[in-house]
Amino acid sequence: MSEVYSDQLAKIILSMPHPVIAVSGGVDSLTLAAFAANLHQSAEMIHAVSPAVPQAATARVRQMAAERGWSLQLIDAGEFSNPGYLANPANRCFFCKSSLYGTMSEVTNGQLLSGTNQDDLSDWRPGLEAAKDHDVRHPFVEAGMTKDAVRALAKNLGLAEAAQLPASPCLSSRVETGLPINAEELLLIDRIEQHVRLRYPVATVRCRIRAEGIGIEIDREALGGLDEQRRAQFEAEVSELAGRSVKLGAYRMGSAFLRAAS
């Protein structure tokens, strides 16, 4: 990673008396947390435990905090008490992040930080509006760092495993826009995705809850490696786990997200 990025990021972090990082368990927030912890004795990490957060992500945060001696606080962000979030509109992320940052503000007086990077700004992200409402800063954006730059920094910090993590939005993103968010279904989504990762050589897997039923999406390479018999076995196996029939198909980013054309 360019030393210019690293130096600029360090200046940003060191300018804050008490940086507080929202750590989701993905590569961006873990990298920011590790970088801040190496620089700043007052750096604090906060992780929201929720049915919408994969169990593996929470385990990853706990393990890294223990190994690296982070100051870590686990919270319930309270999004499941937010009717706007539960209704699952197109801007659901606004309500989710509003709950998260609002709760963080109640448990710390530090400067809230997110792992948003420069590439994220090219997409419609309602959560960034919630961040603005709560004066959240985005050090990677301020330093001009893209996703590739973040992954390079992760490797430099000794986070080789985290650097390879694929993008994985919260589990609520698997529920088709307009269908209500249900904690039990999110837990089912997590179980199914964990099962598929353990049983099949997939790079990407998404369990989609749609009005017409459950769809399982895996990367095209993995899908192409399944013959007819193996595919039937896959669908039968996952259908049993889900308690209803599922349909297997190729991964399409954001395929559960429905946004009316403007």
Side-chain angles (χ1 to χ4, degrees), residues 117-168:
N117 65 68
Q118 194 72 33
D119 292 341
D120 295 329
L121 303 184
S122 63
D123 194 11
W124 184 61
R125 293 180 179 260
L128 291 177
E129 288 300 314
K132 184 177 180 180
D133 290 345
H134 289 86
D135 298 320
V136 177
R137 291 179 63 178
H138 314 292
F140 289 145
V141 173
E142 293 180 34
M145 294 177 62
T146 63
K147 189 77 167 189
D148 285 346
V150 172
R151 291 191 187 279
L153 176 59
K155 291 179 182 178
N156 288 346
L157 293 171
L159 307 179
E161 184 177 347
Q164 300 302 318
L165 287 173
S168 183

Side-chain angles (χ1 to χ4, degrees), residues 187-207:
L187 294 174
L188 174 63
I189 289 169
D190 197 24
R191 285 198 301 273
I192 289 174
E193 292 188 357
Q194 287 187 57
H195 174 83
V196 172
R197 289 191 186 96
L198 286 172
R199 291 274 292 145
Y200 297 90
V202 297
T204 303
V205 57
R206 295 289 189 272
C207 174

Side-chain angles (χ1 to χ4, degrees), residues 11-27:
K11 290 178 183 178
I12 292 166
I13 299 296
L14 289 172
S15 71
M16 307 172 195
H18 183 191
V20 180
I21 297 93
V23 187
S24 67
V27 59

